[in-house]
Amino acid sequence: MKLLLLPALAVLAVFAAALTALFRWSLLEFVPGSLAPGAYTLANFKGVVAPQYLHAVWDTVILAALTTVLTLAASYPVAYALARTPSRRVRSALLVLTLAPFFTGAIVRTYAWVLVLGNTVITWPVPMLFTERGVLVGLIHFSMPTMILILAAALSHIDPAYERAAASLGARPVRVFWRVTLPLSMPGIVSGGLIVFAWTLSAFPTPELLGGGKVKMIANVVKDLGLDSFNWPGAAAFAMLALALTLALLAGAGRLAGGRVT
Amino acid sequence: MRSPALTSLAGALLAVALLAPAAHAQNALVVSVWGGNWKDTVEKVLGKAFTAKTGMPVEFEVGGTIDRLAKARVAKGSPLVDLNFTTTHVARLYISDGLYEKLDMAKIPNAKEIAKEAVRSDYHLGSWSYVYTVVYRPDLVKEDITKWSDLWKPSLKGKIAMPDFDPSHIITIAALMEGGNEVTWQRGEGKLKALKDSIAAFYSTDAQSQDLMKTGQAPVQVMLSVNAYHLQEQGIQVKVVQPSDYPGIVGIDTMAIMAGTKKSAAAHQFIDLALSKDIQSELVKALRAGPVNLGASVPANLKGQPGIFASAAEWKDRGYIMNDEARAKNLPGWREWFTANIVKK
């Protein structure tokens, strides 16, 4: 039986080795104009807590939180319809529409948003492209299919008899939803929320293309430091900082959610 | 029941399939270059001519500037490629890390015909040139743009894009405008800050730059001349400015031989062929970049255009060439300053 664990342990060992290498690089001195790092130092960690980098961390956390909440709000009605509609046709149509974005790459979808959010197709009353607003729209669109599928799975596990029972006892539909459906779908909300929050923390193509260089999230800063400034130790230090932050936020969110994960 | 003969045959075929590419790579000259049009052109113009001349096939490893640098670094001593194309200042990083072999100029007789500006070091030689200059869409910008200082006009507010991966061009121009240069770049800090509100977007790739221009999101750009000519070919009406106040910032792509390669002689032959008049003339036509061989012919429609230098005098007067070493050393600091003061809201 223990032998079955070997593949998982091998994968774990590879990831541990990669993280160790990353941590080692974060402690090496960056020498401008050279690829070879210098001696061991903590200077990289001091460097990456400069205001412009912390600003990117703050933007990332805020965007991830807003994306999670707004994706949930936008996805719940669709998931509800998907789980509860008696019509097979409507269910199939909703499922196809939900799954369709998975068949186009993230880059293609984001380029489509460049056209929509710019002023070439629609004249927006406020600037959308190259702003946090535009990035938020892109992130929500990217996250919705997954959230819808998770919520629909959770909703389909709720026995409609509970809702009928509440209604038969005089509860209006809104009250039934707030007091019965929503609490019972909480495992799906928590699971979907954690997944969307976690992957939005590491979002790269959406802020890269829709942010126009003006909206930087954590992954964009790592790329800027590593690939554009050739500062691999700095990029490693920022990545370690981001990893620690992500783990802390997810641990906090997990604790808040308690055991309510499907 | 399985047939032993069939099993053996299948095993042999699998071994051939797995080993064939490796065997082929052993016989071929492996060249590292950017993807897309760059690789297609080098393969069509240079690779085929090299194979026709020497009988040696040419294979390509394609990727971005830094991906390829990272690969070269981890393969130090036993390189995966024999010859490398990269920008001249990034080549400095290869050299500082001992990744390039010193060139034997006796084996590259055509190097005598190239502009002195294209001889970048004992390790790397220019292959073609271009400039970063002002490019704009006259259908979306009503006034003429003729010089760098026009970028600071209030009417262009919110219309400009420039690269954020390498702000060295605009930093150098701002410094030149304030009587400095890339070494004393701090002189231009105030000038750069005054440009902040005019910038609509920063682009990270050539493709993004072209998309911003095509969609009109940023109809004025500090742009690579080669990309601007490419847009013109696609029917997008863009004007490539030959700035009257300060020259465009010259970019030179270079060739070098990887240290530790077993095909040094062939790589020298490849570089020599790349620098020949005929190949240079073909490269100019295909890439719309400037030749480094001063004897190469330039099509009439490209003569005198930004980034196309056809004589020693044009190399000297019509472009500003930054110091490679200063650029490689300063770029991280420049980016940090640029991000904190210009990119940040």
Side-chain angles (χ1 to χ4, degrees):
Chain A
M1 194 65 184
K2 284 179 187 170
L3 281 177
L4 292 174
L5 281 175
L6 281 178
L9 290 173
V11 171
L12 196 66
V14 171
F15 278 112
L19 271 179
T20 308
L22 193 70
F23 183 59
R24 183 178 162 270
W25 266 95
S26 72
L27 295 171
L28 293 170
E29 183 192 1
F30 170 53
V31 182
S34 167
L35 291 179
Y40 282 100
T41 177
L42 289 173
N44 300 316
F45 287 96
K46 280 186 196 165
V48 297
V49 294
Q52 74 257 34
Y53 300 128
L54 291 182
H55 192 83
V57 172
W58 176 249
D59 277 356
T60 305
V61 174
I62 296 297
L63 278 168
L66 285 173
T67 302
T68 307
V69 172
L70 295 174
T71 302
L72 178 64
S75 304
Y76 203 100
V78 185
Y80 190 87
L82 192 61
R84 290 296 164 83
T85 179
S87 162
R88 273 190 179 183
R89 276 189 184 174
V90 172
R91 195 180 305 126
S92 298
L94 282 174
L95 198 60
V96 167
L97 287 172
T98 303
L99 293 176
F102 286 123
F103 292 94
T104 55
I107 303 287
V108 175
R109 275 187 270 167
T110 312
Y111 265 116
W113 276 114
V114 170
L115 292 174
V116 174
L117 296 175
N119 285 330
T120 45
V121 180
I122 301 167
T123 305
W124 298 92
V126 289
M128 294 295 288
L129 194 60
F130 313 141
T131 65
E132 280 94 350
R133 282 184 294 275
V135 173
L136 189 60
V137 169
L139 289 171
I140 292 169
H141 175 245
F142 187 78
S143 305
M144 271 186 70
T146 307
M147 181 70 101
I148 289 170
L149 292 177
I150 293 171
L151 288 175
L155 285 164
S156 64
H157 281 105
I158 300 171
D159 189 341
Y162 291 125
E163 290 158 340
R164 283 201 299 271
S168 70
L169 292 171
R172 288 168 181 271
V174 174
R175 192 172 170 83
V176 171
F177 176 76
W178 279 109
R179 300 298 296 269
V180 179
T181 315
L182 191 65
L184 287 174
S185 64
M186 200 47 85
I189 292 173
V190 172
S191 299
L194 280 177
I195 288 171
V196 168
F197 185 73
W199 83 22
T200 308
L201 280 175
S202 61
F204 178 75
T206 308
E208 187 76 5
L209 295 174
L210 298 181
K214 289 185 161 185
V215 183
K216 298 273 182 192
M217 292 177 71
I218 287 171
N220 306 102
V221 173
V222 171
K223 174 251 172 192
D224 286 354
L225 283 167
L227 298 190
D228 296 340
S229 296
F230 321 124
N231 183 355
W232 295 348
F238 196 71
M240 293 306 299
L241 194 75
L243 181 66
L245 176 80
T246 306
L247 291 176
L249 285 171
L250 286 178
R255 182 168 289 188
L256 274 177
R260 291 179 292 191
V261 180
T262 49
Chain B
M1 197 173 88
R2 288 181 192 166
S3 151
L6 273 179
T7 308
S8 307
L9 182 63
L13 285 172
L14 185 66
V16 168
L18 291 173
L19 295 174
H24 194 242
Q26 275 179 359
N27 298 326
L29 184 76
V30 184
V31 174
S32 175
V33 69
W34 302 274
N37 190 40
W38 300 105
K39 181 253 176 186
D40 293 346
T41 302
V42 171
E43 184 172 30
K44 199 172 88 182
V45 175
L46 193 44
K48 283 187 179 167
F50 178 78
T51 304
K53 188 176 177 184
T54 64
M56 182 182 260
V58 179
E59 287 185 358
F60 292 90
E61 182 213 69
V62 296
T65 304
I66 305 301
D67 314 341
R68 294 184 294 118
L69 171 64
K71 272 193 200 170
R73 192 170 191 280
V74 294
K76 188 176 178 179
S78 49
L80 304 169
V81 303
D82 305 303
L83 192 142
N84 187 49
F85 281 85
T86 195
T87 53
T88 182
H89 69 288
V90 172
R92 284 282 162 188
L93 296 172
Y94 282 85
I95 295 167
S96 75
D97 208 36
L99 296 172
Y100 278 172
E101 174 182 309
K102 196 168 181 179
L103 297 172
D104 182 349
M105 297 306 274
K107 292 180 182 167
I108 312 173
N110 284 324
K112 287 178 188 151
E113 297 179 9
I114 68 174
K116 66 178 174 52
E117 289 84 354
V119 182
R120 303 310 297 164
S121 76
D122 292 342
Y123 296 84
H124 69 312
L125 297 173
S127 46
W128 52 73
S129 70
Y130 43 79
V131 285
Y132 267 89
T133 187
V134 182
V135 178
Y136 72 102
R137 275 182 59 171
D139 57 329
L140 298 177
V141 178
K142 298 300 169 206
E143 57 199 309
D144 277 353
I145 298 176
T146 57
K147 47 190 189 291
W148 283 103
S149 60
D150 287 342
L151 291 180
W152 276 260
K153 282 183 176 174
S155 53
L156 296 186
K157 194 176 171 186
K159 291 187 173 173
I160 301 172
M162 55 183 65
D164 67 350
F165 58 90
D166 183 358
S168 52
H169 323 100
I170 195 69
I171 282 178
T172 302
I173 286 298
L176 290 171
M177 290 170 101
E178 296 298 308
N181 56 35
E182 68 271 28
V183 179
T184 58
W185 65 276
Q186 290 88 345
R187 287 195 194 183
E189 283 183 7
K191 196 84 189 158
L192 285 167
K193 284 178 184 170
L195 193 61
K196 184 174 172 173
D197 288 342
S198 298
I199 302 170
F202 299 93
Y203 62 82
S204 304
T205 61
D206 288 347
Q208 221 179 335
S209 156
Q210 292 176 53
D211 287 337
L212 287 168
M213 190 62 96
K214 276 185 203 170
T215 58
Q217 303 296 341
V220 183
Q221 292 191 23
V222 176
M223 194 181 202
L224 187 68
S225 55
V226 172
N227 289 339
Y229 299 135
H230 184 59
L231 284 175
Q232 286 176 342
E233 265 180 8
Q234 293 178 321
I236 313 286
Q237 292 303 310
V238 294
K239 269 193 182 172
V240 188
V241 179
Q242 186 89 267
S244 59
D245 49 358
Y246 300 94
I249 302 293
V250 177
I252 302 172
D253 289 344
T254 60
M255 299 171 286
I257 298 170
M258 301 304 295
T261 174
K262 289 174 182 152
K263 293 174 206 133
S264 174
H268 275 91
Q269 266 186 295
F270 188 93
I271 292 177
D272 190 50
L273 184 65
L275 298 179
S276 67
K277 276 180 208 154
D278 292 345
I279 294 292
Q280 284 280 304
S281 306
E282 290 300 312
L283 286 172
V284 174
K285 273 194 278 181
L287 289 174
R288 294 181 160 235
V292 293
N293 188 315
L294 296 172
S297 63
V298 176
N301 64 327
L302 287 177
K303 265 190 186 153
Q305 292 295 308
I308 313 283
F309 312 119
S311 68
E314 286 186 359
W315 269 95
K316 189 167 175 278
D317 300 332
R318 288 196 22 233
Y320 184 85
I321 302 179
M322 294 166 65
N323 179 297
D324 290 344
E325 222 161 342
R327 188 174 177 186
K329 277 187 183 163
N330 284 333
L331 189 57
W334 286 342
R335 289 205 73 260
E336 197 158 322
W337 183 90
F338 200 74
T339 305
N341 294 280
I342 308 296
V343 177
K344 196 180 153 202
K345 297 175 289 293

